[in-house]
Amino acid sequence: MDWKECCSRRIAKDVKPDIGMIASLTKSSKNKSDSESKLEMSNITAGSKLSLAYDSLRELLEALSLKNGFKVYNHECYAAFLKEVMKESYKADEFNEIRKVRNAVNYYGKEISPEESSEVIARIKKLAVSVAGLLGK
């Protein structure tokens, strides 16, 4: 889905930047990242750690979109936002790949090993640092 379709289907819309909401999302993102870091990696926690790390990244993306005057209601449209609004194609492609892994675990019952989870979490954290940089954090 491209940004034009996201906007025309009202999955993304123009809003006024909300400094309070941006700060709240950034704090919540950090809390989820810290929570993920405190969980020991195991066969039992691998999926949960991945979900927490992904949610942390998604909240940073929500804060970034709000800072730029957009409210996005669909995770797929965050990739379009990164690619077409922010001109960050690599970050968009990376987010989309991570999103697909997370969706497979969360919605389709895919088992994820601790090793694979650790690898994806490392990618998430690297992308989160990059997104935080775009946010000015």
Side-chain angles (χ1 to χ4, degrees), residues 3 61 64-65 67-70 78-89 91-92 130-131 133-135:
W3 186 245
L61 286 169
L64 180 63
S65 66
K67 181 179 179 183
N68 285 275
F70 298 101
Y78 284 115
F81 167 77
L82 282 169
K83 184 174 280 185
E84 297 173 51
V85 176
M86 299 302 297
K87 307 298 184 210
E88 297 283 354
S89 248
K91 289 176 181 71
S130 207
V131 170
L134 293 172
L135 249 174

Side-chain angles (χ1 to χ4, degrees), residues 23-122:
S24 178
L25 286 164
T26 303
K27 181 179 179 183
S28 178
S29 170
K30 182 175 179 351
N31 289 344
K32 286 182 181 168
S33 180
D34 290 350
S35 296
E36 177 278 319
S37 294
K38 288 178 188 263
L39 270 178
E40 186 176 322
M41 180 63 79
S42 72
N43 286 325
I44 294 168
T45 63
S48 299
K49 285 178 66 74
L50 175 67
S51 291
L52 278 167
Y54 176 88
D55 287 347
S56 172
L57 171 60
R58 204 246 350 119
E59 286 181 336
L60 284 178
L61 286 169
E62 185 174 354
L64 180 63
S65 66
L66 282 172
K67 181 179 179 183
N68 285 275
F70 298 101
K71 175 68 177 161
V72 178
Y73 296 96
N74 166 309
H75 294 209
E76 196 174 343
C77 290
Y78 284 115
F81 167 77
L82 282 169
K83 184 174 280 185
E84 297 173 51
V85 176
M86 299 302 297
K87 307 298 184 210
E88 297 283 354
S89 248
Y90 173 79
K91 289 176 181 71
D93 292 342
E94 182 71 353
F95 176 72
N96 222 19
E97 287 179 28
I98 290 166
R99 179 185 64 79
K100 289 175 184 175
V101 172
R102 180 266 192 175
N103 285 357
V105 170
N106 272 27
Y107 302 127
Y108 303 109
K110 179 186 185 287
E111 298 260 342
I112 190 163
S113 70
E115 295 78 21
E116 184 181 1
S117 181
S118 292
E119 178 187 305
V120 176
I121 289 168

Side-chain angles (χ1 to χ4, degrees), residues 1 3-12 74 76-77:
M1 184 174 325
W3 186 245
K4 184 178 178 181
E5 183 179 355
C6 290
C7 292
S8 70
R9 292 177 58 192
R10 305 288 294 156
I11 300 168
N74 166 309
E76 196 174 343
C77 290

